[in-house]
Amino acid sequence: MLRFLRVQAFALKATFDFKPHSNHQRENPVANQTTAAADAVLLTSYGKLHEQLRHDVPLLRNIEKTADHLTKGNTEAEFAINTKRNRGMGARNEMENLPTPGTQKYARATLELKNYYAGIAVSGQTFEQANTNATAFVDVVDREVSQAYKDTKIDINRMMYGDGSGTLATATTAATSATQEFDSLHWLQEDDILDIVDASALPTVTYIAQGVTVLSVDEDTNEVEFSSSVTLAIGDFVVRAGNYGGKEIEGIDLLIGTQTLHGIDPTTASVWKSYTKSSVGVLEQIDMIRAIQGASKNGGSPSRIFTDHESFNAYWDLFSDQRRYTDDNKLKGGQNVEMVFKANGANDIPITTDWDCPAGNMYFVDESELVLNQTGDLRWMNRDGSMWSRIPGKDGYEASLYYYGNLGTYRRNSHAKLSGISPLA
């Protein structure tokens, strides 16, 4: 049977392009796929499963992935940036002293790789079907394996829009209740297991609650129902359980900004910052033009705009008489409405909508200056010769996905960001 499993694992292993600790310990038990639960997806009982979930990952799909800059046993990435020009130049009269020679100024950017994991578990009873009904067994296990890839890609795509803190939503009211209101629910889903952080206690990390489960999400009211009552103040925020403390991938909301990044402080390296404008309000053409100009001032050239759907709608309405469409930048998954923006003599810049993009944001990205530093693609642990391990004390088996990587930028001033864009009325 193990030989059969290895063949299945090998066949499925090549489905993604994206490694975890052999000593990794789960903080929360993995939900087991038992034979009872598996009945819903058994090929012999119900036929083809009809997909109901979104799997498109536009930002992740468009970023270069490399291991070229890894150092220190593949735990960090390093590269040099040019921060200042040689200013040893000037005009002189005949026989005057020549300008004092100058030099280029450099800084070294460093970033730590982040460790990411996902797990699946299958009961022994399901494994027993490998002996009596191989087709049904493969259908259940293949579904768990392939869906784990897809779910993980969605979560990595979500992190690539964040700031590395892991913040998913922030409380907008003070209340003691199992139902709480947040600023946005676009990163929250039913069955999420969350920790709630006390914002008033920072920088000391204090949890209001840990391991609470999301029972329901109401996007019309921005309310979440938790598995237990909690007392929140305005500004408290939720994170995926165990993720808080700089463990997540550093996304473009941090990379496109003005704070210290990759160990380089913009107050001492003034070119190491992006053009940003917050509290935009009603989107105007001049906002987008200035974002492009802000990047091009230092030689940057944004190649794609990533935005949320409501901000895209605001753009659609604003430029109703100037729309241009692209034929070669259509998205997978049925989406084929992709527009371009052109300003200040720049090339056409495709505008790509992404459900994971935070509401009210436009990220003007130079894709050639972003890189996902990684040791390798997402893959299954199989250092013991098989991707499956017996769950101690249980009649079941588990498998773990792992990934080591972090997002970085070679040239921060090549990007720009607009935030606080009002949705179309």
Side-chain angles (χ1 to χ4, degrees):
M1 182 176 71
L2 287 178
R3 184 172 181 272
F4 171 78
L5 292 175
R6 292 190 188 104
V7 172
Q8 292 302 317
F10 180 80
L12 292 164
K13 190 175 178 180
T15 62
F16 185 70
D17 57 353
F18 246 3
K19 271 175 168 190
H21 243 307
S22 57
N23 295 326
H24 170 62
Q25 298 294 322
R26 300 190 316 276
E27 295 185 6
N28 294 296
V30 180
N32 291 345
Q33 177 60 282
T34 64
T35 50
D39 277 345
V41 293
L42 282 176
L43 178 65
T44 54
S45 299
Y46 295 96
K48 184 177 181 180
L49 184 80
H50 296 281
E51 185 61 76
Q52 302 293 310
L53 304 175
R54 171 182 61 88
H55 295 299
D56 193 36
V57 286
L59 181 54
L60 177 59
R61 187 179 61 246
N62 282 279
I63 300 303
E64 174 195 359
K65 304 169 184 65
T66 184
D68 291 348
H69 304 292
L70 300 186
T71 62
K72 295 186 178 181
N74 290 342
T75 62
E76 289 186 354
E78 291 187 350
F79 50 88
I81 66 167
N82 192 179
T83 60
K84 294 181 181 180
R85 301 180 187 275
N86 180 346
R87 308 309 291 171
M89 58 190 71
R92 297 291 186 272
N93 290 323
E94 186 177 1
M95 295 304 294
E96 282 190 318
N97 291 333
L98 297 177
T100 302
T103 62
Q104 299 289 323
K105 301 297 188 297
Y106 302 92
R108 181 162 296 278
T110 62
L111 62 153
E112 294 183 355
L113 300 193
K114 307 299 182 178
N115 309 318
Y116 186 86
Y117 307 95
I120 62 174
V122 179
S123 74
Q125 291 91 335
T126 300
F127 268 56
E128 192 73 15
Q129 294 183 17
N131 296 323
T132 60
N133 190 340
T135 300
F137 170 78
V138 170
D139 187 61
V140 173
V141 176
D142 174 84
R143 186 68 187 173
E144 289 297 322
V145 170
S146 62
Q147 284 299 113
Y149 273 119
K150 294 176 182 179
D151 294 345
T152 300
K153 286 194 292 181
I154 287 288
D155 201 37
I156 291 176
N157 193 72
R158 183 269 306 170
M159 285 190 286
M160 289 176 65
Y161 281 104
D163 60 6
S165 70
T167 301
L168 300 175
T170 302
T172 56
T173 59
T176 299
S177 175
T179 301
Q180 298 284 347
E181 184 178 331
F182 291 90
D183 60 341
S184 174
L185 305 185
H186 72 282
W187 284 342
L188 296 181
Q189 297 182 32
E190 293 177 2
D191 296 332
D192 278 344
I193 303 174
L194 307 175
D195 294 338
I196 305 176
V197 181
D198 184 349
S200 66
L202 294 175
T204 301
V205 179
T206 302
Y207 292 104
I208 296 170
Q210 291 181 273
V212 295
T213 301
V214 174
L215 300 183
S216 65
V217 175
D218 189 335
E219 295 185 0
D220 293 330
T221 62
N222 272 2
E223 290 182 334
V224 173
E225 181 185 1
F226 295 119
S227 54
S228 61
S229 178
V230 293
T231 300
L232 301 188
I234 297 174
D236 294 337
F237 55 93
V238 295
V239 300
R240 194 176 302 284
N243 276 27
Y244 190 65
K247 300 176 185 178
E248 290 197 352
I249 289 172
E250 295 168 346
I252 58 175
D253 201 58
L254 176 67
L255 270 57
I256 306 177
T258 60
Q259 64 276 70
T260 297
L261 178 72
H262 302 344
I264 301 174
D265 187 347
T267 61
T268 57
S270 60
V271 297
W272 191 242
K273 57 186 176 183
S274 312
Y275 173 90
T276 63
K277 181 180 179 180
S278 59
S279 303
V280 171
V282 177
L283 183 65
E284 297 182 4
Q285 182 178 6
I286 193 63
D287 295 321
M288 301 179 71
I289 292 174
R290 284 173 175 161
I292 298 295
Q293 292 172 337
S296 65
K297 177 182 178 180
N298 291 298
S301 181
S303 59
R304 187 175 294 271
I305 301 171
F306 291 96
T307 190
D308 64 289
H309 286 72
E310 280 300 323
S311 296
F312 176 86
N313 293 344
Y315 170 84
W316 172 276
D317 186 67
L318 180 64
F319 296 97
S320 59
D321 60 341
Q322 303 176 40
R323 295 176 187 140
R324 296 185 59 190
Y325 301 88
T326 60
D327 295 325
D328 56 350
N329 286 294
K330 294 181 180 180
L331 296 178
K332 297 178 180 179
Q335 289 183 276
N336 58 9
V337 179
E338 196 169 275
M339 297 172 59
V340 297
F341 177 74
K342 187 177 179 112
N344 202 35
N347 295 327
D348 290 349
I349 305 174
I351 303 176
T352 297
T353 55
D354 191 337
W355 290 109
D356 287 320
C357 182
N361 288 270
M362 279 190 173
Y363 299 95
F364 297 72
V365 171
D366 185 341
E367 295 161 290
S368 67
E369 300 295 347
L370 282 180
V371 60
L372 192 55
N373 300 276
Q374 59 182 36
T375 60
D377 296 332
L378 182 71
R379 67 191 86 177
W380 295 97
M381 287 188 196
N382 63 350
R383 294 168 182 164
D384 298 328
S386 172
M387 64 180 281
W388 297 102
S389 299
R390 170 80 181 278
I391 301 175
K394 295 185 181 297
D395 182 13
Y397 297 82
E398 62 183 354
S400 297
L401 280 166
Y402 69 100
Y403 173 71
Y404 305 142
N406 201 0
L407 188 63
T409 181
Y410 301 125
R411 186 172 182 169
R412 200 179 193 187
N413 56 22
S414 286
H415 319 296
K417 176 174 66 177
L418 301 178
S419 58
I421 300 171
S422 298
L424 186 64

